[in-house]
Amino acid sequence: MGRSNISHLRPAGFDTFWFGVCYYPEHWDAETRALDAERMAAAGVNVVRMGEFAWDLMERVEGVYDFSLFDETIAHLARHGIKTIFCTPTAAPPRWLTVQHPEILRQDRLNTELKHGSRQHADYSHPTFREYSRRITEVLAEHYKDNTAVIGWQTDNEIYCHFSDDHSPATRAAFIAFLKEKYAGDIVALNRAWGTAFWAQTYGSFEEIDTPYENRPTYPNPSQQLDYARFLSETVARFQHEQIALLRAANAGWFITHNGVMSKTDYRGLFTQDLDVLGYDVYPFFDTNPTSRPCSHAFGLDRVRAFSGNFIVPEHQAAAGGQAPYFHNAPEPGEMRLFTYRSIARGADSVLYFRWRTCRFGAEIYWCGILDHDNVPRRRYAELSQIGGELKRVGPALLGTSVRVEVAFAEGDYAATEAHLTYPLGLPSEGTAAVWSHRWFFERGYAVGCVHPADNLDGVKLYIIPHWTVFDPAWVPALERFVERGGVLVIGARTASRTLDNQVTAETLPGCLAKLAGVTVEEYGRQNKGDLRPQKLQLGETEVESADWYEVLGLQGAEALATWTTRHLVGLPAISHRKVGRGHVLYVGTYFCNGALFDALWPVAGKLAGVSPQLVEHPAGIEVVVREKAGVELWFMLNRNETATRVPHPPLGQDLVTGTTVDGPCEIEASGVRVVVQRR
Ligand code: GAL
């Protein structure tokens, strides 16, 4: 099932660039729907996604199925050359099911039962809900197995997008079963792994264990919390696995995706290994700051590739989004197109917009689509058509390519992310530190991305691990080889300070990385507010005020690259450098959170690694990404400036967007895009 060769370099495997919209025929009468297929096809749409919230319509009464609306819609779209991705509708079980089986409702941390009336209220671990999930999936799979217009499936919808914890009796029982399996029935092993000697937590049997409750009354055990996070992920992976088995048994030719990326799911684990391609819903306007938005959007895309390579975007923001408490700014003319190309440049192998038409009722009446409530095509439809026309040329060229990455941030590890959440200490997360650091390289046009430490590091020259407290010693040999062969490894403070059980390691820090880095951590602490007791370090010519965290390094084969210059730290090593084989290891005894540090540190690391911006004289506001496969490079240049921008040294070749040739310095219009093909 699925594909287990998970790597950031993996293309999605489609033979077509799917370009489409999320479609909800159940929201509209026949008269309103009449022109939909024709209009979609005219805009270049070749796929729609549907069905994810329509279980109530498909099965109005238990066991009585009616798919006629969908059958007719699928057939009508197919006559216009548009295929369908159908969804298992389990994100919103019908009312008759929760009336009949109230025990399938999830419970929050106050053990309050969730209610029918929105979505995601059913318990993924409840055997009864699982049975109903399998049943509707099987009936749908059987119904559509010979329908050639249905090309693939999305499982459920954004699992855990609203919240993930569940403390229902069924979940507790499933948690106990998960732990029994993990610890092979050995309660002593669990007590050891969780350190239950602290605060009298020792368990006599697995049956005594509960799900961890935050603030009831106070802090829970971080080892228990990490196992609970693993359990929540395992639960939805198994839930999805059952649906996927049924879909594949009906038609092995379908591709299967899920639209993430949310919380409490290990997207490098079984959940994604079961899929043909991971889906990533892209909503850049959740970052309400237009200055950081391009970077947060880009980082999100790079991070998703660290899970499993190129992806499909089952939902791409097309317009202003609003749910009851908020309403995004509207993308200005050209912005939807610019976002789309950013998503494609950084790994989207297909894109569907959310949604075709703004719904007039329900909880998302202001979540706008391509068409407005009144069904009148306006500028968003025109922009869709423009992109659709361009992708007829760009799309086929993208198939089979992957994104070039020379500077990579370690990302995509479930335990690393979850461990921070169990014990944040008021510090930025490893992900936040990566976002800020990534931005420095992104703004300057480096080939920056994200790669998991267990992944293929070929092509990566500079690899940066930002503060991963939980760090698997099994990754170290590959990192050693990476450095021996000439790579530069930068390790952020606190990395490898905890075991896989989320206990502090017994080894001197940085634990399993101490030998490779050639340092020991002799003292550490949270940094005071800079204005009270500034802690500064000297790196080359620059004195930098650092932030959040300090470490004093003992040099065990490394040399000091930077030393502390203030308070009781004066003269002590802050950043170390060790030459290993043809490469280098830097250990940074502070947090990656500070522009001044980046300006001093990243040029040094970049120079050691031999990386530089991809364009000579990189113009500010131009984003550059290369997608490549054997013999072909596609150079994306995106101008996010509000004015035309001159690129003095662009790649030369045919531009697939405009159909013209770039044969020298070129000017890209405001919000303009070029995709230049170079053959080697
Ligand atoms: C996604 C979700 C959609 C819709 C959209 C806009 O998170 O999958 O169903 O809710 O956001 O809010």
Side-chain angles (χ1 to χ4, degrees):
M1 293 212 330
R3 297 192 290 167
S4 53
N5 57 334
I6 290 236
S7 167
H8 75 108
L9 295 169
R10 190 181 87 173
F14 294 131
D15 57 8
T16 302
F17 189 95
W18 297 109
F19 179 70
V21 290
C22 304
Y23 191 38
Y24 300 89
E26 67 273 25
H27 295 169
W28 303 98
D29 58 25
E31 197 188 329
T32 315
R33 281 185 275 120
L35 290 176
D36 286 346
E38 204 177 303
R39 282 175 168 168
M40 288 179 195
V45 163
N46 58 16
V47 74
V48 301
R49 186 199 69 177
M50 67 171 98
E52 77 273 26
F53 298 121
W55 191 348
D56 61 337
L57 191 68
M58 300 171 191
E59 192 180 1
R60 279 190 195 281
V61 176
E62 182 171 0
V64 181
Y65 300 99
D66 177 3
F67 303 117
S68 54
L69 173 67
F70 297 100
D71 294 349
E72 285 158 24
T73 307
I74 291 167
H76 181 60
L77 289 162
R79 284 194 290 277
H80 287 80
I82 299 169
K83 302 285 190 187
T84 293
I85 300 170
F86 214 82
C87 305
T88 61
T90 40
R95 182 59 179 141
W96 54 258
L97 178 48
T98 50
V99 166
Q100 212 169 298
H101 293 287
E103 71 280 10
I104 69 164
L105 293 169
R106 294 165 74 184
Q107 287 186 10
D108 69 12
R109 50 173 279 285
L110 299 175
N111 290 108
T112 307
E113 181 184 276
L114 302 196
K115 294 291 183 191
H116 193 94
S118 53
R119 60 180 174 182
Q120 287 189 358
H121 42 296
D123 177 350
Y124 294 107
S125 61
H126 200 290
T128 305
F129 181 56
R130 293 275 272 262
E131 195 184 318
Y132 279 94
S133 150
R134 287 192 298 270
R135 202 180 299 166
I136 186 68
T137 303
E138 191 167 18
V139 172
L140 276 168
E142 193 57 29
H143 184 77
Y144 286 118
K145 70 177 183 201
D146 298 320
N147 189 327
T148 53
V150 176
I151 54 165
W153 288 78
Q154 173 185 298
T155 57
D156 204 270
N157 185 79
E158 286 193 350
I159 290 179
Y160 290 150
C161 87
H162 294 299
F163 82 105
S164 41
D165 283 24
D166 190 352
H167 300 277
S168 69
T171 293
R172 177 169 176 253
F175 184 43
I176 289 171
F178 167 85
L179 294 171
K180 271 190 190 161
E181 198 178 315
K182 174 168 180 186
Y183 293 99
D186 182 354
I187 196 66
V188 177
L190 177 138
N191 281 317
R192 202 180 311 118
W194 286 11
T196 51
F198 195 80
W199 285 356
Q201 285 173 28
T202 306
Y203 296 102
S205 74
F206 283 88
E207 283 63 32
E208 293 173 4
I209 297 169
D210 216 336
T211 50
Y213 285 86
E214 259 182 77
N215 297 327
R216 283 186 71 184
T218 182
Y219 309 111
N221 179 328
S223 300
Q224 180 184 7
Q225 280 179 298
L226 184 56
D227 266 349
Y228 179 61
R230 288 175 172 131
F231 157 75
L232 289 173
S233 174
E234 187 70 17
T235 299
V236 292
R238 290 185 190 183
F239 167 81
Q240 178 184 257
H241 187 84
E242 292 174 356
Q243 294 194 349
I244 291 178
L246 293 163
L247 294 168
R248 293 212 193 278
N251 181 341
W254 281 330
F255 71 80
I256 302 177
T257 187
H258 173 79
N259 58 337
V261 162
M262 305 295 136
S263 66
K264 297 293 184 269
T265 306
D266 178 359
Y267 290 107
R268 281 184 61 84
L270 173 68
F271 189 88
T272 303
Q273 288 167 19
D274 258 355
L275 299 170
D276 293 288
V277 58
L278 181 60
Y280 177 41
D281 288 351
V282 174
Y283 288 102
F285 272 58
F286 274 110
D287 182 343
T288 53
N289 176 345
T291 310
S292 59
R293 189 180 296 140
C295 320
S296 55
H297 179 190
F299 181 81
L301 301 159
D302 288 355
R303 178 167 165 257
V304 170
R305 290 202 320 283
F307 293 128
S308 65
N310 292 358
F311 47 88
I312 180 173
V313 181
E315 299 179 17
H316 204 293
Q317 185 153 15
Q323 286 167 327
Y326 65 90
F327 194 30
H328 294 159
N329 290 343
E332 294 184 0
E335 275 198 299
M336 165 177 151
R337 176 168 170 266
L338 193 65
F339 295 158
T340 305
Y341 278 102
R342 185 180 294 129
S343 296
I344 293 173
R346 305 188 96 89
D349 277 355
S350 287
V351 173
L352 289 80
Y353 294 96
F354 190 85
R355 56 183 80 194
W356 174 240
R357 187 169 33 237
T358 316
C359 191
R360 291 180 37 250
F361 43 77
E364 292 188 339
I365 51 179
Y366 292 102
W367 198 289
C368 306
I370 296 287
L371 302 182
D372 291 307
H373 302 104
D374 58 3
N375 204 22
V376 176
R378 298 193 171 89
R379 71 171 167 91
R380 293 195 296 277
Y381 178 75
E383 207 164 313
L384 178 86
S385 309
Q386 182 187 355
I387 307 166
E390 292 165 354
L391 286 180
K392 293 210 166 106
R393 293 186 296 277
V394 179
L398 288 164
L399 301 175
T401 61
S402 46
V403 180
R404 178 182 293 172
V405 178
E406 292 179 348
V407 178
F409 286 86
E411 255 296 339
D413 189 67
Y414 189 60
T417 304
E418 291 301 321
H420 173 80
L421 298 176
T422 66
Y423 223 103
L425 290 173
L427 289 165
S429 71
E430 80 305 330
T432 302
V435 176
W436 291 337
S437 306
H438 174 280
R439 180 171 177 173
W440 193 94
F441 293 98
F442 171 73
E443 295 286 12
R444 287 161 181 77
Y446 285 78
V448 63
C450 298
V451 180
H452 187 276
D455 201 344
N456 182 346
L457 287 172
D458 290 355
V460 174
K461 297 177 179 165
L462 175 58
Y463 190 54
I464 302 165
I465 306 173
H467 324 301
W468 283 25
T469 52
V470 166
F471 194 86
D472 191 339
W475 299 330
V476 177
L479 293 176
E480 282 167 357
R481 286 195 296 278
F482 166 74
V483 179
E484 291 279 350
R485 289 185 199 139
V488 172
L489 174 66
V490 181
I491 303 166
R494 301 186 69 228
T495 300
S497 52
R498 302 218 287 265
T499 67
L500 298 179
D501 291 326
N502 211 11
Q503 300 189 10
V504 175
T505 176
E507 293 175 87
T508 298
L509 303 181
C512 61
L513 289 168
K515 195 159 154 266
L516 182 57
V519 291
T520 49
V521 176
E522 296 299 325
E523 178 181 328
Y524 61 80
R526 189 83 163 86
Q527 278 190 337
N528 291 295
K529 269 207 169 358
D531 50 345
L532 299 177
R533 293 180 173 186
Q535 281 166 329
K536 298 184 179 177
L537 56 85
Q538 183 82 30
L539 178 56
E541 299 296 297
T542 327
E543 189 175 55
V544 175
E545 180 157 335
S546 87
D548 291 309
W549 189 261
Y550 77 92
E551 289 180 357
V552 173
L553 308 182
L555 302 175
Q556 318 290 342
E559 60 193 37
L561 185 70
T563 46
W564 295 105
T565 55
T566 53
R567 311 300 302 173
H568 67 294
L569 307 175
V570 176
L572 297 170
I575 301 177
S576 67
H577 167 220
R578 179 173 175 236
K579 177 117 184 56
V580 182
R582 287 167 32 219
H584 305 263
V585 183
L586 307 187
Y587 184 91
V588 181
T590 188
Y591 256 57
F592 300 150
C593 303
N594 169 329
L597 177 71
F598 298 157
D599 286 342
L601 177 62
W602 297 139
V604 173
K607 196 164 170 208
L608 284 174
V611 289
S612 48
Q614 298 178 94
L615 293 180
V616 176
E617 292 180 48
H618 175 90
I622 297 285
E623 297 173 23
V624 192
V625 185
V626 179
R627 285 189 61 157
E628 57 191 349
K629 64 181 173 191
V632 185
E633 292 178 358
L634 299 175
W635 283 74
F636 283 73
M637 291 186 289
L638 278 55
N639 180 15
R640 65 159 188 269
N641 295 322
E642 297 192 349
T643 51
T645 302
R646 186 168 181 275
V647 182
H649 303 283
L652 306 181
Q654 204 215 350
D655 166 32
L656 296 176
V657 177
T658 57
T660 58
T661 301
V662 177
D663 54 8
C666 70
E667 192 168 86
I668 307 182
E669 68 282 7
S671 302
V673 176
R674 301 283 182 276
V675 181
V676 176
V677 192
Q678 292 201 322
R679 293 180 207 285
R680 281 169 297 185

